[in-house]
Amino acid sequence: MIRDETRQTALLKDVHDWVRAVAHPNEDRVAALDEVPADIVQDMAARGYFGWSIPAEYGGLGLTTEELAQAAMELSQCAVAYRARVGTNTGIGSEALVADGTEAQKQRFLPALASGRATGCFALTEPNAGSDATAVETTARREGDEYILDGMKCYITNAPIADLFTVIARTDPEQPGARGLSAFVVERDTPGLSTSAPYKMMGQAGSPVGEVHFTGARVPAENLIGGVEGQGFRTAMRVLNKQRIHLAALCTGPAIRMFDLAMDHAEKRHQFGKPVADFQLVAALLADCQTEIHAARALVLETARARDRGEDIALQASICKYFASEMCGRVADRAVQVFGGAGFVADHSPIERYYRDVRLFRLYEGTSQIHQLNITKQTRARRAKAQEKAEG
């Protein structure tokens, strides 16, 4: 749903121009520093990028899902570090509060996230809880007006620099599954909370990912999201269903960028007296990229519209994330092939960096294999429900 075409067009133009004027020229700088420099972070904050999907009453832009998806496709047409720096705030790091937070929690935490004064992250994954999100072992024990958290989280984007942590922990040890989980917002200065140094990773330089450790961390009971125990898994799934659409858009942007680079190279690179784009096998690689990008964009935007209409999009969101992340990987591989040897040399083209950066998309927020299982599970459930209705 686009609420104001004029405003949305202006936002997209601002992002489009910023990516080309600021993000692209600084990609090597970000990679060398392994961080997004403070001046660029401040610029993004001033432009409101941190608060895109946070409601306007808490300092954000309150973008609809479709508006957010369009903006994400523009912002992600550059090195992944940029969108990761703002993405947790305007996505997975704030959505639990937006979806299920109490009014007091929203007023207290969302303005800082929307403005970029605070950086958020979503701490769900553990060594034994990833694909099985109900296997969380981090515990939260009520003690008076506080909860005592013990455990650890791993592979958490922005954990090393985060100020606010949305944490899923087990409040009921007698309930081993989803019903025993609760969600908390935990502040950086909480005694007993510590984070690791950023991991050394295959790609995504400038996007810090690390561990979160809780050792008798005392969290005020008022930081229990929604004020109710046992709702943590539901909150996590609400966060992830929206975020999977957001992430699918963030997979589509890099694919667009890689395709543009591959097209430029294929037009300029000459062999046998003509551009390599004239050769049928190269043209086929480019055509496949363009076709899949268009398919992903259409899928993401239609699913975003369905969510804005209030429809159940659990199946479609999973399809989006699965297709767009796999599509992005295929485009990356084809782009390297179009570049030939230049695509493998970091000094010659950013394609080498993008190739490594986008590999992670198929792993986080549900691996492709988990989404395949989920798609089939959701499909079977819907078929059974439809059959039951027809027979009833």
Side-chain angles (χ1 to χ4, degrees), residues 10 21 23 29 76 87 157 163 180 244 282 297 306 352 354 360 369:
R29 179 186 174 204
S76 57
T157 300
D163 303 292
R244 284 164 179 166
V282 174
R297 182 193 289 115
E352 176 270 343
Y354 281 85
L360 186 57
Q369 288 66 42

Side-chain angles (χ1 to χ4, degrees), residues 108 139-151 184-194 213-224:
R108 181 180 174 191
T139 60
R141 183 182 80 258
R142 183 72 182 254
E143 189 174 285
D145 292 332
E146 296 178 318
Y147 283 89
I148 313 302
L149 270 63
D150 288 285
F184 298 85
V185 57
V186 184
E187 298 171 81
R188 161 67 70 174
D189 60 1
T190 300
L193 181 152
S194 63
H213 297 266
F214 303 97
T215 307
R218 292 184 171 272
V219 179
E222 63 191 24
N223 285 23
L224 173 66

Side-chain angles (χ1 to χ4, degrees), residues 40-193:
I40 297 179
V41 174
Q42 291 167 4
D43 187 17
M44 290 191 287
R47 294 169 183 271
Y49 292 1
F50 281 89
W52 279 350
S53 64
I54 294 174
E57 56 265 38
Y58 307 109
L61 293 184
L63 298 185
T64 65
T65 317
E66 183 180 4
E67 291 167 345
L68 175 65
Q70 288 184 344
M73 287 186 202
E74 288 291 345
L75 181 59
S76 57
Q77 291 179 42
C78 54
V80 173
Y82 297 108
R83 73 89 193 157
R85 187 65 182 81
V86 302
T88 53
N89 279 36
T90 195
I92 203 167
S94 66
E95 188 59 30
L97 287 166
V98 172
D100 287 335
T102 65
E103 183 59 29
Q105 291 168 348
K106 292 177 181 179
Q107 290 183 4
R108 181 180 174 191
F109 297 116
L110 289 180
L113 292 170
S115 67
R117 297 194 308 273
T119 296
C121 72
F122 185 69
L124 170 62
T125 303
E126 299 179 1
N128 294 317
S131 295
D132 181 2
T134 67
V136 167
E137 296 174 352
T138 295
T139 60
R141 183 182 80 258
R142 183 72 182 254
E143 189 174 285
D145 292 332
E146 296 178 318
Y147 283 89
I148 313 302
L149 270 63
D150 288 285
M152 69 90 71
K153 303 290 182 177
C154 56
Y155 312 130
I156 308 301
T157 300
N158 281 343
I161 62 171
D163 303 292
L164 296 173
F165 302 77
T166 298
V167 180
I168 307 300
R170 187 166 302 284
T171 47
D172 187 350
E174 302 302 319
Q175 295 283 354
R179 287 182 294 175
L181 301 178
S182 300
F184 298 85
V185 57
V186 184
E187 298 171 81
R188 161 67 70 174
D189 60 1
T190 300
L193 181 152

Side-chain angles (χ1 to χ4, degrees), residues 248 251-252 288 291-300 316-330 362 368 371 375:
C251 293
T252 305
D288 286 348
T291 299
E292 289 200 275
I293 289 168
H294 272 70
R297 182 193 289 115
L299 177 62
V300 169
Q316 293 93 323
S318 204
I319 291 172
C320 277
K321 196 278 176 178
Y322 170 56
F323 181 78
S325 61
E326 290 287 336
M327 174 277 297
C328 189
R330 290 190 292 268
R362 287 180 276 169
S368 292
H371 282 289
I375 289 165

